[in-house]
Amino acid sequence: MTVMQTTPAATEQTQTPADICSAPPRRHPRPEGQDHYTISEVVAFTGLTAHTLRWYERIGLMSHIDRSHTGQRRYTNRDLDWLDLVTKLRLTGMPVADMVRYAELVREGDHTFLERHELLESTRRDVLTRIAELQDTLAVLDRKISYYADAGRDFERERAGR
């Protein structure tokens, strides 16, 4: 599992204390006014592999991706926004089957809001549980690091006193 800490850029809205677990959506470094991207450009923007992008499309995690007249995939800004959400859902540990179900619900329309809400609430509870476990683990590590730092100083003082 990978745990990353991010901080919003100075130009982005700051978080309110009531919503400390949310962050403003990160914008992809997209060229101004452009709305069609090749798979290699999407790989560069997202850090995902071309194989992963094709797999997402194959399993239904991505809706149909338009193609050029030569058959080349053409992603849009909306596709990039969706990929940003999918990447965040992956970081939560949400199972791929649940992500695919969420994508299906989105495609089904507004009448699925309640089911989408429940799915995201469940994932949020799981994330909060993992955060609490990680905070506990971090506290143990901090205690051990402090112990060894103190013991190391004592050892060096004893060695210097000989």
Side-chain angles (χ1 to χ4, degrees):
M1 175 176 81
T2 302
V3 177
M4 297 175 25
Q5 181 177 1
T6 59
T7 56
T11 59
E12 295 177 356
Q13 249 182 343
T14 59
Q15 298 173 14
T16 62
D19 195 12
I20 60 172
C21 291
S22 70
R26 184 176 52 88
R27 300 296 299 169
H28 292 282
R30 305 171 192 164
E32 196 66 37
Q34 184 174 334
D35 192 32
H36 292 286
Y37 308 94
T38 64
I39 198 167
S40 60
E41 290 172 318
V42 174
V43 164
F45 293 154
T46 65
L48 299 169
T49 66
H51 173 79
T52 298
L53 293 169
R54 290 185 202 103
W55 181 64
Y56 282 178
E57 190 178 355
R58 196 169 47 251
I59 65 172
L61 193 49
M62 293 286 301
S63 59
H64 174 74
I65 302 299
D66 287 334
R67 305 275 183 142
S68 70
H69 67 282
T70 60
Q72 187 179 42
R73 286 173 175 83
R74 302 303 279 172
Y75 294 85
T76 65
N77 285 322
R78 186 175 181 160
D79 296 326
L80 293 179
D81 291 340
W82 177 257
L83 286 169
D84 189 48
L85 173 63
V86 167
T87 300
K88 298 284 190 285
L89 293 177
R90 285 184 60 209
L91 286 173
T92 70
M94 179 187 274
V96 173
D98 286 350
M99 289 190 289
V100 170
R101 178 66 185 142
Y102 182 81
E104 290 168 350
L105 292 169
V106 169
R107 286 190 290 270
E108 287 176 25
D110 292 350
H111 70 278
T112 65
F113 277 0
L114 182 58
E115 194 173 346
R116 285 187 254 170
H117 177 266
E118 290 169 356
L119 184 59
L120 293 176
E121 280 288 336
S122 173
T123 301
R124 185 178 190 280
R125 284 190 299 273
D126 293 344
V127 168
L128 289 171
T129 298
R130 286 199 1 248
I131 288 171
E133 291 168 346
L134 288 171
Q135 287 174 332
D136 184 55
T137 301
L138 183 60
V140 169
L141 289 173
D142 288 344
R143 283 192 303 273
K144 286 293 190 184
I145 289 168
S146 178
Y147 172 79
Y148 289 121
D150 292 344
R153 281 191 293 274
D154 292 345
F155 177 76
E156 288 300 320
R157 269 186 252 148
E158 284 180 22
R159 216 170 90 196
R162 289 185 190 173

